[in-house]
């Protein structure tokens, strides 16, 4: 599992969760049943630095 974080337009983390892959995390972010408007999805790189990386666009 990979850790993902979901950010609003101001870059504030509004949710964190673990998903098996980017496609599943992005599909979850696109769902309309969130309290906050998710603008960006990032995942934690498994490398030694554990940097946060962009998971991909939210547009269909």
């Amino acid at each position: 599992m990979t850790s993902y974080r979901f950010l609003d337009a101001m870059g504030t983390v509004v949710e964190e969760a673990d998903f098996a892959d980017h496609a599943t995390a992005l599909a979850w972010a696109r769902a309309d049943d969130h309290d906050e408007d998710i603008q960006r999805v990032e995942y934690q790189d498994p490398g030694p630095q554990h940097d946060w990386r962009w998971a991909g666009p939210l547009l269909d």
Side-chain angles (χ1 to χ4, degrees):
M1 292 298 245
T2 301
S3 295
Y4 289 84
R5 64 184 185 182
F6 304 88
L7 296 84
D8 66 10
M10 298 298 292
T12 302
V13 176
V14 297
E15 186 75 39
E16 291 189 36
D18 292 335
F19 290 93
D21 55 40
H22 291 351
T24 306
L26 292 169
W28 183 87
R30 287 185 196 108
D32 291 330
D33 58 347
H34 303 292
D35 292 336
E36 302 287 336
D37 185 30
I38 297 171
Q39 296 291 317
R40 183 177 177 91
V41 179
E42 297 177 337
Y43 70 97
Q44 195 166 31
D45 185 6
Q49 302 297 332
H50 296 291
D51 293 332
W52 288 97
R53 307 274 185 200
W54 183 57
L58 290 175
L59 302 174
D60 290 330

